Amino acid sequence: MPERDFDSIYRNFSRLVYWTAFGVVHNREQAEDIMQNVFLNALRHLDTLAGFNDSQLKSWLYRTAINAALDSKRRVKHEMLSDEPIAVNVADATTDVEAAAERRLNSSTVVSAMERIDAKYREVLTLHYFSNMSHADIAEALKITVGTVKSRLARGRTQLARVLSKEGFEYDG
Amino acid sequence: MMDDFEEIKNEELLTPEEDARIDAMLTQAADERNAEVDYDAMLAAIKRKASEDGLLVFSPEEKRQKSAPSRLMKRLSHIAMGIAAACVVGLGVAALVSKSGSDVGDRTANLPDITPQSDALTTAEPISSPSAWEQIDGTEGPFAVGTDTPKVSGGVDDPVPTAVPVRFNGHVETVRLTELGVITQNSQLITDGICAAVGNYEEYGRILRVRASAKGGVVCYDCTVIGFSPYETDIGYAEVEFRSASSFVVYWRVNANQYFLIHISGFDYNETVELLNTFVVA
């Protein structure tokens, strides 16, 4: 398979691999290392992967990423921090910077709160929102029904809302 | 798609407005975070590493150099066709379980957080060695048994079953390999391609577990494909570890980079030998 096909695979599925890995290891550098290993592995097996349809390929990449992430996590032995510290330089703040900082704060709060919901709900939320996967693709990757994907998304959002609410975060507008 | 639909009670749900707000927050958080990930830089790093490892080749000469070991790998993978029979669930477990008069376990797909019984299974490498294109030198390792020539037949090109020695606690047992299908780098393909229609198994990540209640307890075997082994086994040969009187771990080298690992639990010695022989069809 020519290199451009690998580029296409990477463009289409790098988010899936990255956020799948991040969802397990909760560490950016580790997730990047895992993503590199997964795509190197994909390169080694391009002949096989070339025969896959999109759904099979997503499933393969998802499972390879999960396995690589679990192995990486076992090697590291300890849980890493769930998110990076929020860096906001108040002294340099302008309106734009403040707005950006607020968005960053919000996104960090959401990501942090996701760590406190059930894993099976976090998994589908990550795949849907962060990896841009459709309900059908998630169902294929996780070997569950589309209906279950939808129900887990709804429950995941509900749990997330409760966690945010407990922390005093305004989520209801 | 074997799961039960998970129903939601109305009282558990957010109001539409609340749900929309959470949805928007998640979307925004995902956009923010994805914007912080430099996917282009990572692609460049992957290509750089791939180039160092010889995975990206561009010239006709380089392509020829790469294609040769690739063909060799495919040819060697024929041996795995016999081993793939391990995942024909009905053959192995059904034979032994029916002898024990027991029922079989349930299939539960996608259970990512279990701890398999074998340490060897938990430490399995999902990513094959960077030396993926290197062929072993054929040197006989300390545990190798049988002839000097690794047995690599038994595939579609060679319908004659191939005797393969298995070192089994000091005893050499002989099992036979024949063609059955194609095994690939990960167990997902095994389960999807071979076992999907069989059922009666559980899947733990890359590990396929075939389980049954028998003899007052649970008997099972796990199988997976890993990229390393503690033993320097020749291709086509296997090494069996005793973990206890009823727990055996088989490292079966299928090619230069892959081992078919089987953890058999709950069966005694004779049953284990019998089970191993059902994996490969004479």
Side-chain angles (χ1 to χ4, degrees):
Chain A
M1 180 176 280
E3 186 191 359
R4 65 175 181 280
D5 290 337
F6 173 74
D7 283 5
S8 169
I9 291 173
Y10 181 87
R11 274 197 305 275
N12 289 331
F13 303 118
S14 52
R15 285 187 177 197
L16 163 66
V17 172
Y18 178 83
W19 287 108
T20 297
F22 188 90
V24 175
V25 298
H26 311 307
N27 178 272
R28 191 166 167 171
E29 287 185 359
Q30 263 187 291
E32 290 178 0
D33 288 345
I34 291 162
M35 184 158 93
Q36 175 168 302
N37 286 335
V38 169
F39 279 103
L40 285 172
N41 201 29
L43 262 175
R44 292 188 182 97
H45 301 99
L46 271 179
D47 286 346
T48 301
L49 299 181
F52 284 14
N53 60 33
D54 266 10
S55 179
Q56 289 172 316
L57 187 56
K58 282 178 191 173
S59 184
W60 187 90
L61 288 168
Y62 172 76
R63 288 184 176 278
T64 305
I66 282 283
N67 291 329
L70 289 172
D71 274 12
S72 175
K73 191 173 178 179
R74 278 194 289 267
R75 280 197 295 272
V76 171
K77 299 287 187 190
H78 60 275
E79 294 290 335
M80 306 296 290
L81 70 170
S82 65
D83 200 12
E84 299 158 36
I86 302 164
V88 179
N89 188 338
V90 178
D92 295 338
T94 65
T95 302
D96 288 345
V97 172
E98 284 176 350
E102 184 177 350
R103 287 197 303 272
R104 179 76 168 92
L105 179 63
N106 288 346
S107 70
S108 293
T109 302
V110 170
V111 171
S112 178
M114 283 178 66
E115 296 307 314
R116 288 188 279 284
I117 68 175
D118 290 352
K120 65 180 181 181
Y121 302 139
R122 181 170 62 246
E123 187 173 42
V124 293
L125 288 178
T126 300
L127 292 174
H128 184 65
Y129 287 98
F130 289 75
S131 302
N132 287 334
M133 287 178 73
S134 68
H135 295 161
D137 288 339
I138 295 170
E140 172 68 23
L142 300 183
K143 305 298 179 197
I144 57 180
T145 63
V146 171
T148 297
V149 172
K150 290 178 180 175
S151 68
R152 287 186 186 179
L153 282 171
R155 280 179 167 161
R157 285 193 295 264
T158 302
Q159 281 201 358
L160 187 63
R162 287 176 182 157
V163 170
L164 290 170
S165 183
K166 279 181 185 174
E167 295 179 353
F169 192 85
E170 298 283 339
Y171 73 87
D172 55 0
Chain B
M1 309 299 173
M2 301 294 287
D3 63 321
D4 295 327
F5 182 75
E6 297 172 2
E7 293 184 10
I8 305 176
K9 297 173 183 174
N10 285 336
E11 59 268 27
E12 295 176 347
L13 293 174
L14 299 170
T15 66
E17 294 76 19
E18 290 171 334
D19 196 53
R21 174 65 177 148
I22 289 292
D23 179 81
M25 288 177 64
L26 278 162
T27 301
Q28 179 182 314
D31 289 345
E32 288 273 325
R33 289 314 177 91
N34 270 312
E36 294 170 4
V37 180
D38 192 344
Y39 291 100
D40 289 340
M42 282 195 274
L43 175 60
I46 289 167
K47 286 185 172 179
R48 194 163 48 245
K49 183 71 166 60
S51 180
E52 290 168 4
D53 291 352
L55 292 172
L56 284 179
V57 291
F58 303 102
S59 71
E61 176 60 26
E62 287 172 320
K63 285 182 179 177
R64 274 196 298 275
Q65 288 175 356
K66 180 180 174 182
S67 65
S70 178
R71 285 194 298 269
L72 178 60
M73 292 283 287
K74 287 178 180 175
R75 188 165 59 85
L76 292 175
S77 71
H78 286 165
I79 191 172
M81 295 175 179
I83 296 173
C87 289
V88 180
V89 179
L91 289 181
V93 160
L96 290 170
V97 167
S98 61
K99 195 169 66 175
S100 304
S102 60
D103 57 350
V104 293
D106 297 326
R107 170 185 173 170
T108 307
N110 192 45
L111 300 172
D113 290 325
I114 66 99
T115 303
Q117 296 178 3
S118 162
D119 289 338
L121 293 174
T122 61
T123 55
E125 291 281 354
I127 308 297
S128 62
S129 163
S131 58
W133 303 109
E134 293 176 10
Q135 178 57 40
I136 63 165
D137 60 11
T139 304
E140 190 173 73
F143 299 98
V145 293
T147 67
D148 290 335
T149 305
K151 309 297 185 186
V152 295
S153 58
V156 293
D157 297 331
D158 181 5
V160 179
T162 302
V164 173
V166 175
R167 185 183 174 91
F168 209 99
N169 194 31
H171 303 282
V172 177
E173 305 287 343
T174 299
V175 293
R176 301 180 74 80
L177 302 178
T178 58
E179 62 176 292
L180 262 178
V182 176
I183 196 169
T184 55
Q185 181 73 9
N186 66 35
S187 65
Q188 170 65 22
L189 298 178
I190 298 173
T191 57
D192 282 352
I194 299 173
C195 293
V198 179
N200 300 326
Y201 65 86
E202 297 171 355
E203 186 185 341
Y204 301 122
R206 294 182 309 117
I207 298 168
L208 180 73
R209 171 165 295 180
V210 181
R211 183 178 65 173
S213 299
K215 299 184 291 188
V218 173
V219 296
C220 65
Y221 64 85
D222 298 331
C223 47
T224 189
V225 177
I226 60 174
F228 72 99
S229 160
Y231 306 107
E232 296 179 20
T233 315
D234 280 343
I235 293 172
Y237 291 72
E239 185 72 23
V240 181
E241 281 182 4
F242 274 72
R243 294 290 173 88
S244 70
S246 60
S247 179
F248 308 89
V249 176
V250 183
Y251 296 89
W252 201 329
R253 189 169 194 168
V254 296
N255 58 39
N257 307 297
Q258 292 174 291
Y259 296 82
F260 194 76
L261 189 150
I262 313 162
H263 183 193
I264 302 168
S265 185
F267 299 103
D268 63 25
Y269 180 94
N270 291 331
E271 289 171 331
T272 299
V273 173
E274 184 181 348
L275 181 60
L276 277 175
N277 277 287
T278 65
F279 286 169
V280 289
V281 180

